Amino acid sequence: MFDYETLKLIWWGLIGFLFIGFAITDGMDMGVGGLLPFVAKKDAESRVVINTVGAHWDGNQVWLITAGASLFAAWPLVYATAFSGFYFAMMLTLFSLFLRPLAFDYRSKIESVQWRSNWDKALFVGSMVPPLVFGVAFGNLLQGVPFGFDELMRVTYTGSFFGLFTPFTLLTGVVCVAMVLMHGSTWLVMRTDEDIAQRSVNIGRIVAIVLAITFALAGVLVWQSIDGYVVTSAVDTMGQSQPTSKEVIIVAGAWLHNFERYPLLWLIPVSGVILPLLVALLLNNKSNSVVPKVFAFIASSITIACVILTAGIAMFPFVMPSSSQPNHSLLMWDTVSSEGTLSLMLAVVVFFVPIILAYTLWCYKKMWRTVTLDEIEQNNHSAY
């Protein structure tokens, strides 16, 4: 149906789509979990906040599983190298993610203030650690990861866990945390009322402005001080995986080359700066109309897509550049699975993804309502 080169491009786009889907859906409920200690001042208010995402959080997390499985099947070398290089960071993320289902399921099992408070703290940690780690990981990809392959294609990572944290990667971590907090606040403004919604507005405006500033600052640093990577040899876009058979050099400002080559692409990072400011303007709990609230959520979702797309376009065709052995950098052209594997996976995706999207939208529609404090106080036996 498609030739090998086209399949590689399609899967680059599909994996990006899955990560954007994860960031928008699961990022929303992670943002809600991160806001929990700040927008809920008593147990009943905490239950209101949790009930806005209680029916959806586990389904949202499937996006991460799907993205990870697709990465494993389509880009096996990237999957293996990333888990080798970011092993402790990945384990930290997984253990923090373990806290979320436990907090959701066990929080309301015992009517104890201390018990519930501790699970609220666990939910906060489980919601904030993953976006911080993912943001730091993206920053490391832009800086380059110290890895290389031997003659048997065994990967060796020469960095350290604490070496992952630099001023730039911490900045990208802040970008990611601010992004999910903004997204969570737009969700709470739509799904709650009165005091919780107003606190969400106040915090949402602040983190939206922080996101615009930090994302712009990260862009300036990429332009001024973060060296990019350029392939100087011919690349066989139709060939099988051969990640060590190319020549790569490190060049200042190289991550901007794709934007300079196609100026229209500048609209994406510019939107990533402007849209959070629009979210800050649209966030309003005093209006009786739901329209500005919905538009704030949509603008927040598009912001997330723009931030991720900016990084993906800047690095294209690199997926995981190597700072220690640039010639061993992983490209989307030379790290993919076989043509047959990509074709089979594409057929599965084309069939199942529309079904999943339709079912997800149906669930959100059927369970849509404003969760009020009166409803929660009158229903002490709800799941959350």
Side-chain angles (χ1 to χ4, degrees), residues 264-286:
L264 197 61
L265 293 175
W266 281 110
L267 290 175
I268 295 174
V270 170
S271 298
V273 175
I274 294 176
L275 284 175
L277 301 178
L278 178 61
V279 171
L281 290 174
L282 290 172
L283 281 176
N284 186 357
N285 187 42
K286 296 179 180 179

Side-chain angles (χ1 to χ4, degrees), residues 185-319:
S185 68
T186 62
W187 176 259
L188 287 176
V189 171
M190 290 193 300
R191 297 294 308 276
T192 62
D193 61 359
E194 299 181 350
D195 293 339
I196 297 174
Q198 187 56 50
R199 293 178 197 132
S200 300
V201 167
N202 297 337
I203 297 174
R205 287 172 176 168
I206 294 172
V207 294
I209 294 171
V210 169
L211 172 59
I213 294 172
T214 53
F215 183 57
L217 179 58
V220 171
L221 290 177
V222 168
W223 172 39
Q224 293 287 339
S225 59
I226 304 298
D227 294 335
Y229 293 71
V230 176
V231 181
T232 57
S233 61
V235 177
D236 183 7
T237 58
M238 295 288 289
Q240 297 293 330
S241 179
Q242 292 181 327
T244 60
S245 60
K246 60 181 176 293
E247 294 180 6
V248 176
I249 59 173
I250 300 176
V251 179
W255 289 146
L256 302 181
H257 286 180
N258 288 331
F259 295 101
E260 293 167 353
R261 190 175 296 114
Y262 304 101
L264 197 61
L265 293 175
W266 281 110
L267 290 175
I268 295 174
V270 170
S271 298
V273 175
I274 294 176
L275 284 175
L277 301 178
L278 178 61
V279 171
L281 290 174
L282 290 172
L283 281 176
N284 186 357
N285 187 42
K286 296 179 180 179
S287 173
N288 292 325
S289 173
V290 74
V291 174
K293 301 174 184 179
V294 171
F295 274 109
F297 183 78
I298 293 173
S300 177
S301 300
I302 298 173
T303 298
I304 292 173
C306 288
V307 170
I308 296 175
L309 281 172
T310 297
I313 292 170
M315 293 178 59
F316 183 88
F318 288 88
V319 178

Side-chain angles (χ1 to χ4, degrees), residues 66 89 93 112 202 218 255 269 281 324 340 363:
T66 306
T93 302
S112 163
N202 297 337
W255 289 146
L281 290 174
S324 58
C363 288

Side-chain angles (χ1 to χ4, degrees), residues 17 35 97 105 114 136 149-150 179-180 204 228 276 303 316 357 361:
F17 170 77
L35 290 169
L97 287 173
D105 288 343
Q114 188 62 47
V136 169
F149 299 98
D150 61 16
M179 187 169 69
V180 299
T303 298
F316 183 88
L357 287 174
L361 291 173

